[in-house]
Amino acid sequence: MKQVQEKISKLVSLLNKYSYDYYVEDNPQISDTEYDTLYKQLEKLEENHPEYILENSPTQRVGDRVLDEFEKITHKVPMLSLSNTFSTEDLRDFDARISKLVPDHSVEYICELKIDGLAISIKYEDGRLVSAATRGDGSIGEDVTENIKTIFSIPKVLKDNRTFEVRGEVYLPRKSFELLNSERESNNEVLFANPRNAAAGSLRQLDSKITAKRRLSAFIYSIVGDDSIVSQENALNTAKEYDLPVNPNFKLCKNIDEVIDYINYWTEHKKDLPYDIDGIVIKVNSYSTQEKVGYTQKSPRWATAYKFPEEELATKLLDVELSVGRTGIITPVAILDPIVISGSTVSKASLHNKDIIEELDIHIDDMVVVKKAGEIIPKVVRVVRELRTESSTKYVMPNTCPSCGQQTYTKENDPFTRCKNPDCPDQNIRRIIHFASRDALNIEGLGDKVVATLYEKGIIAHTIDLFSLEREKLISLDRMGEKSADNLLNAIENSKKSSLDKVIFALGILNVGKKAGKILAEKYLNLSNLMNATLDELVNLDDVGQITAESILDYLSDENNIKFINDLIKVGMNPQYEIQEVNTDNIFAGKTVVLTGKLVELTRNEAKEYLEKYGAKVTGSVTSKTDLVIAGEKAGSKLAKAEQLGIKVINEEEFANMVREVK
């Protein structure tokens, strides 16, 4: 029996090594057939001697759990996002800011490939993988432990009994992506648009057997909770020592010029990799220097992500489809002969509005040049007129709505075509989707498809109908079990507790975003007061201009909208804005402050939040009533006016020192 146990142990060790070579190093040491032969030997031995099955055996990664839903996991250390840079000039500005914050130190940077996947956090206790969570919103993620255990490149047991958290990126290699889409095509299933979407969808499967079949992989890029690690290079090498998958292409750079050389190399060679990358991550190497450089509210100041330049390709424009938004704006969308841009298959692209269509001189069957804006949203940028054929036909925006068939209209000096029918089906669906969206009332379980199904089945016709949904009708829907129906009804009921600014944003008033929602909440305190708003009041609010003020009054002059607000109040949704207590015992309290120029270490919103927290009023223009002007780089007319009026002016560094004194 001891010989059997030893043989199982040797096979597990050998197969795990081969898996590491294949999935992490992309350097297979044996053929697939040889691997399968060894794997089957192990399976047979384990079948006959289950008492000797090891926790880290590759046979234990097949996935055998089916979950009802994902539990939530709170990240003890938030998973922050990174700021983006797009040019050499941006990178040099980033380096200059770092040097300014640590003038007595020479700064080294670690450059890493930015893997196009899904961020993940994995916890090991006494050397064993105990939990894993997605990034989520940075503070709370989803528990995907069972699915992470199916990924061959991630060890379930470490070589040492270490306790720490590692963070990285789960991705789908191109070979796995091609194989997955080939299987889906043969099963007449919808193909994944790109490896990133496929990776995200695979990791969020409730059935871990499905995840196991997808051949995901991962790279680890940081270790959390180990005080012995002193640098990013140290963290990566430590992770490698424990056989954690680390991308081998990281590089320690002595200065920003070496960083730029690294970026230039991978801009040219990214296609040679067996997986997709969408940029380069640059981090200050030393952890002590990172601490000195610090953080903004959303991201570390000591790191940034360089995004590769946008890729442009030509393809044939097959047709133009029209999409009707919640405000009635009809958006033309180009239907394209599919092409692959920056790792994604693109078959649709934005044409924006009728003016753009006329300016580009769009014809059906034209060859058009498409690019991905910020590597996310595809758009048509020009027509290759030299390739236009006699079969091409000029496209003209129709004068009827594609959803309801009613006449469209355009406003003076406005490029958008609109449908003014308040009962237009597409508008209603979009309004409900917006109402339930994350930035509005965040009604979990009420996604786009659920809303469309409820509408098409006649279960809801308007947003207010959400609050009278019947459990029996929900359960009757495909893929809507009793538990899902109960969760949805509870989420709708809980949405009544939403803050006033979110409710105002959820109304879907044209030009009223999250920021304007907060400003209106602070001014009017509840929905009842908002309905009595006047033009004079609105235009005098900070950051609410004439156009937004008129949009608000247009909305409030419509009897259907007034009825909707009153109906919300009747169902119990009329939150009272809670006025935040501010610290009035400080140098900012009661002062009128103007921010001007480009701030380096803070965004305008962050600086404004600090000032308002300490009782200051932040305005957009300099007047005789202004007490203080904070001037960033390239400050212009506001700075000149402040100097002319003799108003105190400070720079960003002085402002930061004042904030420290207040704290």
Side-chain angles (χ1 to χ4, degrees):
M1 287 299 178
K2 188 176 181 182
Q3 286 181 327
V4 172
Q5 190 175 5
E6 288 177 353
K7 189 167 185 179
I8 287 176
S9 179
K10 286 181 180 179
L11 279 170
V12 166
S13 178
L14 193 61
L15 286 168
N16 282 340
K17 179 187 180 302
Y18 289 146
S19 293
Y20 187 89
D21 292 335
Y22 181 88
Y23 287 102
V24 181
E25 300 291 345
D26 191 37
N27 183 28
Q29 299 296 309
I30 60 174
S31 69
D32 290 350
T33 303
E34 290 173 297
Y35 182 93
D36 290 341
T37 300
L38 293 173
Y39 188 92
K40 286 174 182 176
Q41 285 181 24
L42 177 62
E43 270 188 322
K44 188 171 183 180
L45 285 169
E46 290 178 339
E47 184 181 345
N48 294 329
H49 303 279
E51 68 274 18
Y52 296 141
I53 294 176
L54 297 174
E55 187 179 353
N56 63 332
S57 170
T59 65
Q60 303 306 297
R61 293 184 182 272
V62 295
D64 58 1
R65 288 283 303 277
V66 179
L67 306 175
D68 292 327
E69 61 181 9
F70 290 112
E71 299 293 333
K72 302 295 183 184
I73 288 184
T74 300
H75 301 299
K76 288 185 178 179
V77 178
M79 295 183 73
L80 300 177
S81 57
L82 295 180
S83 61
N84 290 326
T85 53
F86 298 93
S87 66
T88 299
E89 184 179 325
D90 288 345
L91 289 167
R92 294 197 183 280
D93 287 345
F94 167 74
D95 180 54
R97 291 195 296 271
I98 301 293
S99 299
K100 187 176 180 181
L101 290 167
V102 284
D104 300 327
H105 293 74
S106 57
V107 179
E108 293 182 330
Y109 297 104
I110 280 281
C111 287
E112 302 168 51
L113 303 183
K114 187 173 181 296
I115 309 301
D116 196 11
L118 191 73
I120 196 76
S121 165
I122 305 171
K123 290 182 181 176
Y124 287 91
E125 290 182 6
D126 296 326
R128 281 173 164 72
L129 193 162
V130 294
S131 68
T134 61
R135 180 182 181 277
D137 63 3
S139 298
I140 299 174
E142 291 179 320
D143 185 343
V144 290
T145 307
E146 295 303 318
N147 291 344
I148 285 296
K149 287 179 179 179
T150 69
I151 300 176
F152 275 85
S153 58
I154 297 176
K156 292 165 71 176
V157 179
L158 300 176
K159 292 192 294 189
D160 193 2
N161 295 332
R162 294 292 294 269
T163 296
F164 53 42
E165 176 185 351
V166 297
R167 290 177 175 177
E169 199 85 2
V170 172
Y171 69 95
L172 196 66
R174 291 198 191 114
K175 286 181 183 177
S176 299
F177 175 69
E178 290 165 5
L179 184 61
L180 174 59
N181 263 353
S182 176
E183 291 172 352
R184 293 177 72 86
E185 186 175 22
S186 64
N187 294 328
N188 292 318
E189 295 177 295
V190 177
L191 302 186
F192 284 112
N194 53 59
R196 188 192 185 283
N197 288 358
S202 301
L203 192 61
R204 297 189 73 258
Q205 291 290 330
L206 293 173
D207 185 348
S208 59
K209 286 184 179 178
I210 297 175
T211 306
K213 293 177 182 177
R214 298 285 176 85
R215 298 180 177 87
L216 292 168
S217 196
F219 285 123
I220 299 302
Y221 54 70
S222 71
I223 297 177
V224 179
D226 189 331
D227 295 335
S228 68
I229 295 175
V230 297
S231 71
Q232 178 63 11
E233 184 182 33
N234 185 190
L236 293 171
N237 286 328
T238 300
K240 286 171 66 177
E241 288 172 11
Y242 286 95
D243 288 339
L244 288 161
V246 173
N247 190 286
N249 297 300
F250 69 86
K251 182 180 180 183
L252 178 65
C253 297
K254 301 294 184 183
N255 51 52
I256 201 66
D257 289 325
E258 290 189 12
V259 170
I260 292 169
D261 288 342
Y262 178 93
I263 287 170
N264 289 339
Y265 176 85
W266 284 111
T267 300
E268 294 297 320
H269 291 84
K270 62 180 180 177
K271 301 284 188 189
D272 300 335
L273 295 165
Y275 45 81
D276 287 347
I277 62 173
D278 58 355
I280 303 296
V281 175
I282 303 103
K283 303 173 184 174
V284 169
N285 185 41
S286 164
Y287 279 7
S288 62
T289 305
Q290 287 182 8
E291 287 302 311
K292 289 175 183 176
V293 173
Y295 299 80
T296 69
Q297 287 184 343
K298 296 179 180 179
S299 58
R301 291 194 179 96
W302 44 264
T304 191
Y306 173 84
K307 304 288 285 198
F308 288 129
E310 296 168 348
E311 188 177 352
E312 295 186 357
L313 289 174
T315 188
K316 192 173 185 178
L317 189 150
L318 305 176
D319 201 356
V320 175
E321 284 185 356
L322 301 174
S323 169
V324 185
R326 62 183 171 83
T327 61
I329 291 177
I330 299 172
T331 304
V333 177
I335 306 302
L336 308 168
D337 193 6
I339 48 171
V340 177
I341 305 180
S342 303
S344 299
T345 300
V346 173
S347 58
K348 294 183 178 182
S350 174
L351 287 169
H352 300 291
N353 55 55
K354 64 179 180 63
D355 284 5
I356 297 295
I357 285 176
E358 291 172 5
E359 182 182 325
L360 293 173
D361 188 26
I362 291 292
H363 284 55
I364 306 297
D365 286 342
D366 271 346
M367 289 297 293
V368 295
V369 176
V370 180
K371 76 173 181 180
K372 292 184 75 175
E375 299 245 348
I376 298 173
I377 303 169
K379 64 179 180 180
V380 176
V381 293
R382 64 181 179 276
V383 172
V384 186
R385 290 187 176 86
E386 296 82 358
L387 299 179
R388 180 171 289 165
T389 65
E390 292 182 1
S391 64
S392 298
T393 55
K394 186 175 179 62
Y395 182 79
V396 179
M397 287 285 287
N399 55 14
T400 57
C401 173
S403 177
C404 66
Q406 292 204 16
Q407 288 288 310
T408 59
Y409 72 102
T410 55
K411 295 180 179 179
E412 188 176 353
N413 299 320
D414 185 351
F416 296 104
T417 303
R418 303 169 187 268
C419 170
K420 60 182 177 182
N421 175 16
D423 283 322
C424 174
D426 280 5
Q427 285 188 62
N428 276 331
I429 291 171
R430 293 291 177 187
R431 279 194 285 263
I432 298 168
I433 289 170
H434 172 77
F435 187 81
S437 64
R438 178 177 293 183
D439 289 335
L441 301 193
N442 194 21
I443 302 177
E444 288 194 23
L446 197 62
D448 297 12
K449 290 182 179 178
V450 175
V451 171
T453 300
L454 291 171
Y455 192 91
E456 289 161 5
K457 298 283 186 183
I459 297 173
I460 57 174
H462 301 284
T463 306
I464 198 64
D465 297 337
L466 293 173
F467 298 96
S468 57
L469 275 173
E470 297 175 10
R471 185 174 184 269
E472 291 72 21
K473 289 185 178 179
L474 285 176
I475 294 171
S476 70
L477 299 176
D478 291 340
R479 299 183 181 179
M480 179 70 75
E482 292 188 8
K483 188 170 183 179
S484 296
D486 289 338
N487 288 341
L488 176 54
L489 290 172
N490 287 334
I492 292 170
E493 185 64 26
N494 289 334
S495 72
K496 295 177 183 178
K497 301 173 186 176
S498 300
S499 59
L500 181 61
D501 58 309
K502 289 187 175 293
V503 175
I504 292 173
F505 175 64
L507 295 176
I509 303 171
L510 185 64
N511 298 318
V512 174
K514 291 184 291 183
K515 183 178 179 182
K518 185 175 181 181
I519 292 168
L520 292 171
E522 290 173 348
K523 169 65 179 175
Y524 293 103
L525 305 181
N526 58 48
L527 291 176
S528 302
N529 294 336
L530 176 64
M531 287 191 288
N532 296 316
T534 66
L535 183 62
D536 287 343
E537 289 172 348
L538 292 168
V539 294
N540 284 317
L541 292 175
D542 292 338
D543 298 314
V544 176
Q546 184 77 22
I547 293 174
T548 301
E550 289 176 358
S551 293
I552 295 167
L553 291 180
D554 282 347
Y555 182 91
L556 295 174
S557 66
D558 188 312
E559 61 183 25
N560 292 313
N561 295 331
I562 293 297
K563 181 180 184 304
F564 175 49
I565 295 175
N566 282 323
D567 286 343
L568 288 176
I569 294 171
K570 286 177 185 176
V571 300
M573 185 176 283
N574 190 19
Q576 185 74 22
Y577 181 76
E578 295 180 8
I579 300 174
Q580 303 293 319
E581 290 186 15
V582 296
N583 180 358
T584 57
D585 185 22
N586 65 78
I587 52 180
F588 296 121
K591 297 288 193 285
T592 299
V593 182
V594 172
L595 296 160
T596 184
K598 180 183 177 183
L599 300 181
V600 175
E601 301 306 325
L602 294 172
T603 66
R604 285 282 190 93
N605 283 340
E606 289 168 347
K608 185 179 179 183
E609 285 176 9
Y610 277 124
L611 291 163
E612 290 177 343
K613 177 181 177 182
Y614 298 119
K617 178 183 178 183
V618 181
T619 62
S621 57
V622 177
T623 69
S624 58
K625 296 180 180 180
T626 303
D627 297 301
L628 178 68
V629 171
I630 300 170
E633 296 175 359
K634 299 179 182 179
S637 58
K638 292 179 185 178
L639 174 60
K641 187 170 183 180
E643 292 172 341
Q644 181 184 346
L645 294 174
I647 294 166
K648 183 177 180 179
V649 177
I650 62 172
N651 60 30
E652 186 177 0
E653 186 176 353
E654 291 171 311
F655 171 55
N657 290 333
M658 291 169 75
V659 169
R660 292 189 192 101
E661 290 176 15
V662 171
K663 290 181 177 179

